[in-house]
Amino acid sequence: MLRIFKITAVLEGISYLVLFSNMLFIKPNNFELYHTLLYPIGMSHGILFIGYIILAFLLKNAQNWNLKDFGIILIASLLPFGTFYVEKKYCKNLFLVKE
């Protein structure tokens, strides 16, 4: 399950950055394209965000995350590049865990 969390964290971070890119670069230049892309990008980001949060709650006890680490993992989902930090710091023992 840690492998799924790692993949979800990376995809959630990418979708967050794509959503910001759409807002910052495409919206001022081409509003119609921005509006067309907003729903699929936003929906995929929303699904990945929910999956990230659910997987974090499921893995909390299995990975022995204390309350501070768990709080950092949850708050990182709200910050750009935060999930990449979580993936790097908290999923480093990915190949040591047998699923």
Side-chain angles (χ1 to χ4, degrees):
M1 190 175 318
L2 188 61
R3 182 169 294 157
I4 295 170
F5 180 72
K6 181 176 181 169
I7 292 168
T8 304
V10 170
L11 291 177
E12 198 271 337
I14 291 170
S15 71
Y16 198 22
L17 295 176
V18 170
L19 194 60
F20 273 140
S21 302
N22 185 37
M23 181 182 66
L24 293 174
F25 302 119
I26 296 176
K27 184 178 180 181
N29 299 325
N30 190 346
F31 187 75
E32 291 299 320
L33 180 60
Y34 160 77
H35 190 66
T36 304
L37 294 175
L38 185 61
Y39 182 76
I41 296 171
M43 182 61 75
S44 62
H45 171 69
I47 291 169
L48 289 166
F49 175 79
I50 291 169
Y52 176 89
I53 297 297
I54 290 171
L55 286 169
F57 273 98
L58 292 174
L59 283 171
K60 181 183 181 296
N61 292 331
Q63 295 299 312
N64 296 324
W65 291 330
N66 59 29
L67 192 58
K68 179 185 171 193
D69 290 338
F70 187 60
I72 290 170
I73 289 166
L74 292 180
I75 290 172
S77 67
L78 302 174
L79 304 173
F81 301 103
T83 57
F84 299 120
Y85 170 77
V86 168
E87 182 268 330
K88 191 73 168 172
K89 182 171 182 182
Y90 295 100
C91 299
K92 60 186 169 193
N93 61 349
L94 176 63
F95 297 108
L96 302 174
V97 176
K98 298 195 184 213
E99 295 183 20

